[in-house]
Amino acid sequence: MIQFILNQKLISTETPSGENLLQFIREHQHLKGTKVGCREGDCGACTVLVGTLVNNAVEYRTVTSCLASLASVAGKHVVTVEGLNLSDGLNQAQQAIHDHSATQCGFCTPGFVVSMTSIIFDNPKQYQPDDAISGNICRCTGYKSIEKSVNQLDRILNKTEHSLSWYIQNRFIPEYFKEIPERLMLTRSDITPLKSDGMRSAGGTDVYVRSSDDLAEQNIQYLHEHNKIILTSEKVIIGAGVTVSQLWESDELIEILPLLRTHLRLISSKQIRNMATVAGNFVNASPIGDLSVLFLALNSELTIRNNSGSTRKLPLKSFFLDYKTIDLHPDELIETIEFEKPKSNFFYNFEKVSKRQYLDIASVNSAISFSFDKQILKNVNIAIGGVSAVPKYLTKTSEFLSDKKIDENLFREANDILQSEISPISDIRGTESYKRLLAKQLLFQHFLVFTQNMSA
Amino acid sequence: MEHTTKNKDSISHVRGTSIFVDDISEIRGTLQGLVFDSPVAHAHITSLDISDAERCTGVVKILTYNDIRGENQIGGIIQDEPLFAEKEIHFQGQAIALILAETLAEAKKAQKLIQLTYTELPVVTSVRQAHKNGRFTNASRTFRKNDAEKIFAKCDYVFEGQVFTNGQEHLYLETQGAYSVPLENGNIKIYSSTQGPTSVQKATAKVLGVPMHRLEVEVNRLGGGFGGKEDQATAWAAMAAVGTQITGRPVKLILDRHSDMRMTGKRHPYESDFKIGLDKNLKIKAYTATFYQNAGAAADLSPAVAERTLFHATNSYNIENVEVTVHSCKTNLPPNTAFRGFGGPQGMFVIEAAISKAAEALGVSAHKIQELNLLKDGDEFPYGQIASETLIQDTWNKAFTTFDIEKNIQQVADFNSKSKYFKKGYALMPITFGISFTNTPMNHARALVHIYQDGSVGISTGAVEMGQSVNTKMVLVATLTLGISPEKIKIETTNTTRVANTSPTAASATADLNGKAVEMACKILSNRLKTESARLLHLTDIKQISIKDNQVFVSEKLVEISWEELVLSAHLQRLSLTENAHYSTPEIHFDKSKEKGHPFAYHVYGTAFTVVSIDCIKGIYEIDSVKIVHDFGKSLSPALDFGQVEGALVQGIGWMTMEELLYNEKGRLLSNSLSGYKVPDIFSVPKIIEILPLETVGHKHAILKSKAVGEPPLMYGIGTYFALENAIKQFNPNYKHKFNSPLTPEKLLNALYDNHPNEF
Ligand SMILES: Cc1cc2nc3c(=O)[nH]c(=O)nc-3n(C[C@H](O)[C@H](O)[C@H](O)COP(=O)(O)OP(=O)(O)OC[C@H]3O[C@@H](n4cnc5c(N)ncnc54)[C@H](O)[C@@H]3O)c2cc1C
Ligand code: FES
Ligand code: FES
């Protein structure tokens, strides 16, 4: 049985834990405010809030309910647009949309209302207000009115984190949110029965796109352990279940990799980042996996544990064997990914070009890390996606660049080696020749960003 | 009188209580429909075996063309489109069968067990190939003014070129769908997400083999249409209704996104050839163009779309000698259909390309040629209509002065001279768009207005609400005409039993047509009520009586009769509180045998100035600003009208930049999901959109002088294409215009480095 609170209502259900949350909301609970636009995480019409009890308080995040399993909300608070409605008039997000005529056909609107309300749960030092709606598509308005609505909320919030009762008083969320922490403490958070032969899902943003129907009929293995980021004096150790948003929100990590948030902003949308895990990205093994490329360039190492409890370590660059083939046995799970904590004079950059800059899959992406000592490059690690069967660690190019004096020509010259290491194919993300050109350009872009950073 | 009206649905939208077809509470016993469609684009069907699938748990029936009691035909203009494929398949995604099951999950399992065998036939996706093969969905058309070919010889400059504009997926957020419910005696009620309730009713009646009055089609609202639900909502409604006819049970059929993208037609891709001749003063003397329209596998709305391409082939310019021809080429793609602009954008792109080509060759700015050739009153369009109340020059001038365009252009040049890897480009885009269905017989509408005895009002029209706020405009019209507050007015669903024989909600003309009908009905009711007031007040003349703010006034002085009292009194006097008015646009006519006439009630004008920035390393771009002077007439509701401009502009920009439809040579749609087909998100829209209404008196044929606004602004998006090409030239001096849209990052990067004079 799975228990969770849906808006104000305690749900106890025997529905298989793999059932999709959107389906459950609309078809089992007949709450029709949450809309179906794509069932692939790409439109945001199905956005809901999921609140998790953490130290007696509830942390809310948006997710695309079309990709969420029931298992993933066990013991949590799920809030749909209906659960944001106030008894006497509009909440602030609704009011802002109304004030600026930011709804036309209205189909995307409930999703926007939920996403915009979620701004109150974001740390304003870490997020821009429009990050919250990065996963919401509107085909009618052209977004300008939506931008104005978001700005209106931003003005009211004044880039300050307020208390839950302030949000209630100021009409962001209804009164009943106050009781949720206490109610969640009384809610069962286990997912029983947990069958170990069920399909696996972590964030679900990969498996639910591919196999939602199959998952719906079974109790799944919900992988939600190992969700911490640990920094020691030597290492950065990231749990397999850490989400992209957790990376984003780790101020310690940002201190080491100052551009990381800009990089992560290029990955999917807020809703998806709230769900997507690092291990999911590796195991998905897409040749253009952004996190795979990011971590390859950090020369990372995986820790993998099997059913019997023994672990092994494996460099990430050895993990990807061939197209969608990885070095992972079915009875193994990834536990962590770690990399050496960079010392001073360290540079790290990630570049991604896609048809649409945000919420799109890369045509080509690339990441680089190196340290430098008086203009001499050391320990260069460069990785690239979209140009071979796997996310590619560029061994020869990395070697070529190492121990050389950094200048424009060096990066120009490195291109020949890079080109010899890649083997792009033409597909909907671009022709072979475009991807080769782009690979060259992104290599050069790394150099430009480095020089800009140095001069800044 | 200026209103800051809100969309009347905005409260229910934000609260999530607005009801779309998929949200209707299902009646117990409802069956779920799932379409089985063709996996190939062109083939002979050799066998279709549904027996295993039909034996699946939960499956009630699998429908094929054999189950159709009427005609297996849903073609609108031309009867060339079967509901279910019979012997031949003409495009990938063509419906072959409909699975009806207790649950969708059961239907999906059955779908996998349907066995289809076929022999494949050659697939044609290219218009040039179809043209060569002589395959057309409908007759080619030519509009002619004087003799262009002859004049070319006398021109100082003549340029020729080719243009490609790709299609565009509508991507209405709400996918296609219908819900069909049995009534007694074999009658059926269909809830449909359609822009054309009458089209659904008419086509479905034919398929079912019943008279139209047996079917009631109801539309509450659409989660976006953009033309994609003008004709192409019909199939799903008809299929659901066949299901109800055969099983006697309610049937719901909602397409999932992949099916919707795969099975439905889109904006037509066009390939075009142009030839433009100018004199040395840069006056365009002659222009010819041939448009090869990719109609897809059936005519659908292609003939009408093709026609509008010709109507807008010269955009905002007066050209003395014109000959433009369009061929609707039959290919093995899904039948392409209406999309905001309806062929107009494709036509306008080509003349803009021709001008840019001339400008490139002559080393002048395109906007100089544009400006020198703008339309004036008295000029004759190639289709014979004489330009009147022409405002294109006004919008152009106002844009130049208010936005200080000359200075902006200088700033762009300054930026470019200083920046190595970032470049800016700009373009001007004037638009002149005709309002009316170009098929004159469609320009009519009706409104049914009930005043209930308590003073509340219910209005039915043929207009379909799809986000354009037409219902809000109807409320405004009724409010102003009856003199009562908007809360008293309810706009009913669009239903064929209340308003019959309607034209689809399209051509930007719906608010005009239906609004005029509402205005007429309300005027009659208002006069009747004034007469009743006169009786109550013992006055003989109703001229001095007015109704305002829910009160009766005599010679502008309040008398003690409220709206409610007046209505009740009229009711007790046995006066009718219901009116049904009919409006048909006056003056318009068009003779297709001569291709001349006066097809448009009026034109909408505007000028947009676009500035873009490109990143020459990564080949990506941003739109800095689009500044527009637009002719709204006397806008009934600026907030709503501005929303239409912004939305249409961004859709137009999407068409020109990132929205890339990709079919392979087998006719398979590769850009078949939201992850493979990108529409603008919040980060890709122009950083600044500035809209300035041109102050005008409005037009008498526009509803309360507030001009139609739905489609015209889409074409401002074309400016983005030309601004991008302009920016490319700043980086790569060897670049020559390609006129190949959309200008994706891939094409942009290639353009930046192709044949660049320097090594990189
Ligand atoms: C709309 C959308 C946009 C996207 N955009 C991007 C993008 O921009 N860039 C990008 O790189 N990706 C993108 N993705 C893909 C996806 O979000 C990522 O790959 C994500 O990291 C997958 O993580 P997950 O936890 O959701 O995976 P899941 O779907 O839960 O799992 C994927 C696979 O990983 C396995 N798995 C998960 N955890 C473990 C573990 N600890 N040990 C062993 N196996 C495990 C699962 O069994 C499953 O086979 C996008 C997806 C969507 C839906
Ligand atoms: S339905 Fe589109 S994101 Fe879920
Ligand atoms: S209002 Fe129609 S999709 Fe946003």
Side-chain angles (χ1 to χ4, degrees), chain A residues 40-43 64 67 199-210 223 225-226 240-241 244 266-269 272 275-286 288-292 328 332-335 352 359-362 365, chain B residues 675:
Chain A
E40 292 192 318
D42 261 308
C43 77
T64 54
L67 301 181
M199 288 172 75
R200 287 173 175 178
S201 168
T205 62
D206 177 29
V207 288
Y208 273 83
V209 172
R210 286 187 279 117
L223 309 174
E225 254 97 62
H226 307 295
V244 185
L266 295 170
I267 301 182
S268 61
S269 63
I272 301 296
M275 308 165 84
T277 65
V278 293
N281 202 275
F282 306 149
V283 175
N284 166 346
S286 157
I288 28 110
D290 289 320
L291 293 174
S292 302
L328 189 76
E332 288 181 320
L333 282 175
I334 299 174
E335 216 167 72
K352 169 176 176 178
L359 182 47
D360 195 1
I361 308 296
N365 54 5
Chain B
S675 77

Side-chain angles (χ1 to χ4, degrees), chain A residues 22 35-46 64-67:
Chain A
L22 173 60
K35 304 296 178 207
V36 191
C38 68
R39 292 193 193 275
E40 292 192 318
D42 261 308
C43 77
C46 68
T64 54
S65 60
C66 63
L67 301 181

Side-chain angles (χ1 to χ4, degrees), chain B residues 452-517:
Chain B
Y452 293 94
Q453 52 192 292
D454 66 353
S456 63
V457 175
I459 298 179
S460 297
T461 72
V464 169
E465 177 58 52
M466 49 190 185
Q468 84 285 41
S469 296
V470 67
N471 283 352
T472 309
K473 289 191 173 174
M474 296 305 107
V475 172
L476 283 173
V477 171
T479 304
L480 294 172
T481 318
L482 292 174
I484 58 175
S485 46
E487 307 80 63
K488 296 197 193 300
I489 297 161
K490 176 185 172 211
I491 303 297
E492 306 288 354
T493 59
T494 314
N495 185 302
T496 53
T497 64
R498 273 179 267 114
V499 180
N501 305 322
T502 58
S503 293
T505 291
S508 309
T510 305
D512 283 353
L513 297 172
N514 291 277
K516 292 273 188 185

Side-chain angles (χ1 to χ4, degrees), chain A residues 308-365:
Chain A
S308 49
S310 60
T311 60
R312 64 180 172 115
K313 297 230 172 204
L314 183 71
L316 184 60
K317 56 188 167 201
S318 309
F319 182 68
F320 303 108
L321 301 174
D322 204 342
Y323 182 68
K324 295 261 178 185
T325 318
I326 47 175
D327 182 354
L328 189 76
H329 196 267
D331 75 358
E332 288 181 320
L333 282 175
I334 299 174
E335 216 167 72
T336 59
I337 176 131
E338 60 185 53
F339 58 92
E340 246 175 67
K341 196 165 170 180
K343 307 279 173 312
S344 55
N345 285 349
F346 175 79
F347 176 72
Y348 179 75
N349 188 43
F350 172 76
E351 294 292 339
K352 169 176 176 178
V353 170
S354 43
K355 214 169 252 176
R356 186 171 70 196
Q357 268 193 65
Y358 296 94
L359 182 47
D360 195 1
I361 308 296
S363 294
V364 177
N365 54 5

Side-chain angles (χ1 to χ4, degrees), chain A residues 141-184:
Chain A
T141 59
Y143 299 99
K144 282 293 158 192
S145 50
I146 292 173
E147 236 169 62
K148 288 181 197 139
S149 317
V150 170
N151 293 342
Q152 174 164 325
L153 296 183
D154 194 38
R155 277 195 303 276
I156 300 171
L157 291 167
N158 197 21
K159 305 224 181 285
T160 315
E161 284 184 276
H162 304 272
S163 66
L164 194 69
S165 48
W166 190 93
Y167 293 128
I168 292 170
Q169 255 166 36
N170 288 278
R171 308 181 62 85
F172 279 89
I173 44 177
E175 188 84 37
Y176 77 88
F177 269 67
K178 251 198 320 234
E179 300 136 30
I180 296 295
E182 214 165 299
R183 289 182 63 189
L184 281 183

